Amino acid sequence: MNAEPSELIDRFCDVLWLEQGLSRATLSAYRSDLVLLERFLRTSGRQSLADATREDLLAYFERRRAERVKSRTAARLLSTLRRFYRYLAREGRIETDPTALIDSPKLARPLPKTLSENEVERLLAAPRATTPLGLRDRAMIEFLYATGLRVSELVGLTLAQVSLTQGVVRVIGKGNKERLVPLGEEAIAWLDRYLRDARGEFSARQSTDALFVTARGGPLTRQGFWHNLKRHARTAAIRTPLSPHTLRHAFATHLLNHGADLRAVQMLLGHADLSTTQIYTHVAQARLKELHTRHHPRG
């Protein structure tokens, strides 16, 4: 208890460096958090960081909230303090951890990036369907937007998993869970063209049961498709940041925008928990608010 506050911080950072090899930037962030708390505690009459009580820390967090510190920053700060006070407890410098009964701040879940329907139409039209590779890419993008599959599920499909006559695809998702997803007329038409006019040229060079193949006839990889998708997005002048899940997000959001049932979307996406799917209702609501603001005469 007699150690100077700065000494406590120095020892703590030394231990983090020795035991976990944290970077200089990370250690600097820990030190900065603790120094700011130390200054606050001195104004409250505390002589050391080790003297802080739960009420002191709650008062400090209240001060930071008044300064409009974001919840994510507050969560990181609490993580720092928990680590620090656990270290003090382990070293026998404190008897009670003042962070033990402090709840983590609730973090707002970021909304997934998606595409507008117009952007999807431009992306679908970007591949040159007059070439075998362009036809394959058009079929893949149509297929992905029609089904909402994960990219890993898409590139892992085999010929046996797709039935054009029934218009469904049998998907093996996370945890080897199986689900049937309808294709839709456009996806069926483009997939049929790809199978008739393009895949045969590629698969003749290599035997594989993969649905979508490379120019050499082997299965297309997740990275290969992602590279092609970004190239077509540039052609379509799409400035919305893309991720491997962008078309999956668009699939779910556009279904909900057009009145689809949330539980139906959950089954199509293969989500085990409905709460995972509910994030798309927020995306749809945000889109409706944007449209209202832009087009309503009093928006």
Side-chain angles (χ1 to χ4, degrees):
M1 289 280 194
N2 295 326
E4 291 294 324
S6 58
E7 183 183 344
L8 286 179
I9 297 173
D10 287 341
R11 288 184 183 180
F12 172 64
C13 290
D14 287 345
V15 167
L16 288 181
W17 180 75
L18 287 169
E19 293 183 352
Q20 301 182 33
L22 299 183
S23 69
R24 183 177 299 178
T26 301
L27 292 174
S28 177
Y30 278 118
R31 185 182 298 276
S32 176
D33 285 341
L34 292 170
V35 167
L36 289 174
L37 173 61
E38 180 181 79
R39 292 174 183 169
F40 172 81
L41 291 173
R42 283 177 177 167
T43 66
S44 305
R46 302 295 181 189
Q47 297 301 310
S48 167
L49 285 167
D51 296 325
T53 65
R54 176 176 178 271
E55 288 67 29
D56 291 328
L57 298 186
L58 289 174
Y60 181 59
F61 279 106
E62 188 59 38
R63 166 77 68 84
R64 299 304 302 271
R65 273 194 290 271
E67 297 170 349
R68 298 186 180 277
V69 168
K70 294 181 179 179
S71 58
R72 193 165 297 277
T73 302
R76 181 186 60 78
L77 172 60
L78 180 56
S79 176
T80 297
L81 299 188
R82 280 179 174 158
R83 208 166 194 175
F84 175 71
Y85 284 105
R86 284 171 188 167
Y87 158 74
L88 293 187
R90 189 181 70 193
E91 294 292 309
R93 292 182 176 273
I94 59 174
E95 294 181 2
T96 303
D97 179 354
T99 67
L101 298 178
I102 297 179
D103 295 330
S104 298
K106 292 183 178 180
L107 299 179
R109 189 173 180 179
L111 296 180
K113 298 293 184 182
T114 187
L115 299 174
S116 69
E117 293 182 35
N118 178 266
E119 287 173 322
V120 170
E121 290 294 336
R122 296 195 335 250
L123 181 61
L124 290 170
R128 293 178 57 205
T130 54
T131 68
L133 286 176
L135 182 53
R136 179 205 64 191
D137 289 353
R138 175 66 186 262
M140 289 191 79
I141 299 173
E142 288 277 2
F143 197 101
L144 197 59
Y145 180 56
T147 59
L149 266 62
R150 301 174 179 92
V151 175
S152 57
E153 294 171 342
L154 177 75
V155 298
L157 287 175
T158 64
L159 291 168
Q161 288 176 254
V162 179
S163 171
L164 293 183
T165 55
Q166 294 182 0
V168 296
V169 54
R170 181 170 55 86
V171 184
I172 310 299
K174 289 185 176 180
N176 285 325
K177 292 183 178 179
E178 185 175 306
R179 67 187 191 275
L180 287 178
V181 181
L183 288 173
E185 293 181 1
E186 282 291 322
I188 291 172
W190 283 102
L191 186 60
D192 184 51
R193 281 187 58 185
Y194 158 71
L195 292 173
R196 283 188 293 104
D197 302 336
R199 188 182 182 280
E201 291 192 23
F202 306 142
S203 57
R205 301 163 195 171
Q206 189 177 147
S207 178
T208 178
D209 64 348
L211 178 61
F212 295 108
V213 295
T214 66
R216 295 182 179 181
L220 188 67
T221 65
R222 184 176 183 275
Q223 293 79 8
F225 173 72
W226 177 226
H227 173 78
N228 292 337
L229 185 65
K230 288 193 292 185
R231 177 166 51 83
H232 294 311
R234 287 194 296 270
T235 300
I238 293 174
R239 293 179 174 79
T240 302
L242 294 180
S243 76
H245 268 359
T246 300
L247 279 173
R248 180 171 165 86
H249 297 326
F251 164 83
T253 306
H254 297 170
L255 278 176
L256 289 170
N257 283 345
H258 288 275
D261 178 74
L262 187 63
R263 288 200 176 274
V265 175
Q266 176 194 2
M267 289 188 291
L268 291 172
L269 291 173
H271 286 161
D273 194 332
L274 185 64
S275 63
T276 308
T277 316
Q278 284 175 328
I279 188 66
Y280 294 108
T281 64
H282 300 302
V283 178
Q285 289 167 6
R287 175 63 176 159
L288 290 174
K289 288 180 181 177
E290 177 189 335
L291 290 172
H292 182 277
T293 301
R294 185 184 305 171
H295 299 293
H296 194 278
R298 294 186 180 274

